[in-house]
Amino acid sequence: SETATWSMGLLRSADWTGRWIGVKGGEGVPEEFRGASWISGDAGAQQPLFFRNHFELENENPASYGLLAALGSSAIRVFINGKEIKSPSQRESKRYVAQAITEPLHPGSNVVAIQVEPGTPSASIVAGMTFDLADGEIHHIRTNQNWKVASREQPGWEELEFDDTDW
């Protein structure tokens, strides 16, 4: 006889169980996001936004490992000291980057720069970096009100040497 198939759904609402996965309500908040704030630019701006934050790594206690996690309200591009950071997670979602960032780091001044594409009423990000320092200390940098934001792209905005005093 010919092969036959059939399917059946769950019959009672009590059969439907599960829990959300992700930053809120899921398996826990990644360490990089703990204490981080969502930051955004002009409410209602339908244009990309550009975020920057300078940070220092001491010469006497450099980072032996660095990890970045960033989540945008829409597609994001992430740079450390001008080097674009891409991660395997971006194949599934262009809104999320989680990647080791040890290679572009250096003792002294560093910069993280993130571009967020429009797509929601206000482009926004939440991000954090964790550094394992040479002396065994763990150091965190997370998004907060001290990050700078601009609503137009300027040449070299993702580079360490870029002058963002007017942002």
Side-chain angles (χ1 to χ4, degrees), residues 51-52 55 68 76-87 90 97 99-106 110-115 129 156-162:
F51 298 88
R52 288 175 54 89
F55 59 95
L68 172 134
I76 61 174
R77 293 179 67 204
V78 178
F79 301 86
I80 300 289
N81 297 326
K83 180 182 187 321
E84 187 164 8
I85 305 300
K86 295 185 177 187
S87 73
Q90 284 187 293
V97 173
Q99 186 64 30
I101 56 170
T102 310
E103 187 265 320
L105 296 173
H106 56 264
N110 291 268
V111 69
V112 57
I114 302 175
Q115 176 182 343
M129 296 176 286
W157 72 275
E158 73 279 12
E159 300 289 339
L160 176 62
E161 299 80 19
F162 179 78

Side-chain angles (χ1 to χ4, degrees), residues 39-45 49 51 122-124 149:
I39 56 174
S40 60
D42 276 341
L49 290 179
F51 298 88
S122 180
S124 56
V149 62

Side-chain angles (χ1 to χ4, degrees), residues 38 70-76 90 93-97:
W38 279 93
L71 176 65
S73 57
S74 52
I76 61 174
Q90 284 187 293
S93 173
K94 300 212 179 295
R95 294 180 51 215
Y96 182 67
V97 173

Side-chain angles (χ1 to χ4, degrees), residues 10 12 61 70 83 124:
L10 299 175
R12 297 172 300 156
N61 194 19
K83 180 182 187 321
S124 56

Side-chain angles (χ1 to χ4, degrees), residues 7-166:
S7 63
M8 185 172 145
L10 299 175
L11 301 177
R12 297 172 300 156
S13 60
D15 294 335
W16 293 91
T17 61
R19 64 182 184 160
W20 291 102
I21 58 173
V23 174
K24 299 240 186 234
E27 298 171 352
V29 175
E31 183 176 2
E32 287 71 32
F33 289 152
R34 288 190 195 129
S37 302
W38 279 93
I39 56 174
S40 60
D42 276 341
Q46 287 298 310
Q47 60 206 25
L49 290 179
F50 304 88
F51 298 88
R52 288 175 54 89
N53 186 53
H54 287 269
F55 59 95
E56 296 287 325
L57 294 173
E58 297 177 12
N59 289 324
E60 317 72 55
N61 194 19
S64 58
Y65 180 77
L67 176 67
L68 172 134
L71 176 65
S73 57
S74 52
I76 61 174
R77 293 179 67 204
V78 178
F79 301 86
I80 300 289
N81 297 326
K83 180 182 187 321
E84 187 164 8
I85 305 300
K86 295 185 177 187
S87 73
S89 64
Q90 284 187 293
R91 279 180 256 159
E92 291 83 38
S93 173
K94 300 212 179 295
R95 294 180 51 215
Y96 182 67
V97 173
Q99 186 64 30
I101 56 170
T102 310
E103 187 265 320
L105 296 173
H106 56 264
S109 187
N110 291 268
V111 69
V112 57
I114 302 175
Q115 176 182 343
V116 182
E117 291 298 322
T120 61
S122 180
S124 56
I125 58 165
V126 62
M129 296 176 286
T130 298
F131 304 105
D132 295 345
L133 302 179
D135 69 358
E137 183 182 337
I138 305 292
H139 182 66
H140 300 283
I141 295 174
R142 298 175 175 113
T143 47
N144 60 35
Q145 71 280 358
N146 297 323
W147 284 50
K148 295 188 173 192
V149 62
S151 59
R152 66 181 178 85
E153 185 171 7
Q154 298 169 39
W157 72 275
E158 73 279 12
E159 300 289 339
L160 176 62
E161 299 80 19
F162 179 78
D163 182 4
D164 60 13
T165 54
D166 292 337

